[in-house]
């Protein structure tokens, strides 16, 4: 169910080719206004996808759609281009709220970059538990380091053999 339900299997994925790991900054980049979710609607890329579960699903504002990486191919990453450097303070990560998604722990590292080429670790690798009883949401506190490109690298998932994320919300100034 939804690639993450307990006790069921999903159809065999047709993994797509990885997207460019180092996108070029756009000369016409625009900076998101305000201080709400800075990632919503921004360009997202990933190291790979499964079926139609592309990275844009993680920044579309819909917690029921999601990105899923290629199965059994850790590490996998998803990245958002904010269009300009921002001082990020939190990343709110969500999985679909449906109870079909069993609780799981995803191990991930948070990295940031100002140019899309050189990444610095903002938060070291740690396990984050997503539980439908608490909304399948986790919050990762970030250092207020100027960041244009934020990348989550997932190295494990106890609920499915792929990285999964329905919403990547970035907060800051």
């Amino acid at each position: 169910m939804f690639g993450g339900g307990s006790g069921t299997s999903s159809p065999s994925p047709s993994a797509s080719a990885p997207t460019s790991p180092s996108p070029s900054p756009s000369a016409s980049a625009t900076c998101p206004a305000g201080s709400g979710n800075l990632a919503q609607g921004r360009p997202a890329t990933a190291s790979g996808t499964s079926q139609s579960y592309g990275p844009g699903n993680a920044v579309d504002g819909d917690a029921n759609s999601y990105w899923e990486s290629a199965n059994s191919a850790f590490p996998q990453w998803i990245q958002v281009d904010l269009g300009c450097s921002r001082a990020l303070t939190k990343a709110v990560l969500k999985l679909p709220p449906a109870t079909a998604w069993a609780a799981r722990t995803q191990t991930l590292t948070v990295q940031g970059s100002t140019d899309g080429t050189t990444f610095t670790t903002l938060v070291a690798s740690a396990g984050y538990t997503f539980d439908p009883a608490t909304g399948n949401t986790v919050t990762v506190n970030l250092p207020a380091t100027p960041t244009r490109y934020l990348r989550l690298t997932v190295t494990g998932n106890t609920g499915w053999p792929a990285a999964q994320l329905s919403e990547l919300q970035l907060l800051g100034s």
Side-chain angles (χ1 to χ4, degrees), residues 27-92:
S28 62
T30 57
C31 206
S35 59
N37 178 6
L38 301 173
Q40 187 168 340
R42 302 302 305 172
T45 54
S47 54
T49 61
S50 176
Q51 301 175 46
S52 62
Y53 305 112
N57 290 346
V59 293
D60 66 1
D62 179 0
N64 292 300
S65 66
Y66 62 97
W67 163 69
E68 182 171 299
S69 72
N71 283 342
S72 303
F74 291 115
Q76 293 285 317
W77 55 261
I78 185 168
Q79 174 178 302
V80 177
D81 176 0
L82 297 176
C84 66
S85 290
R86 300 294 292 261
L88 302 175
T89 56
K90 292 182 185 203
V92 179

Side-chain angles (χ1 to χ4, degrees), residues 79-164:
Q79 174 178 302
V80 177
D81 176 0
L82 297 176
C84 66
S85 290
R86 300 294 292 261
L88 302 175
T89 56
K90 292 182 185 203
V92 179
L93 313 178
K94 296 182 178 184
L95 288 179
T99 56
W101 285 67
R104 68 203 56 223
T105 299
Q106 293 195 72
T107 303
L108 58 94
T109 301
V110 182
Q111 295 178 304
S113 173
T114 56
D115 62 9
T117 301
T118 305
F119 283 82
T120 302
T121 298
L122 302 176
V123 179
S125 180
Y128 294 90
T129 300
F130 295 84
D131 188 338
T134 57
N136 267 341
T137 301
V138 301
T139 300
V140 181
N141 292 318
L142 304 172
T145 303
T147 302
R148 174 176 172 173
Y149 299 89
L150 185 110
R151 180 182 288 181
L152 299 177
T153 300
V154 182
T155 57
N157 181 345
T158 62
W160 202 252
Q164 299 170 308

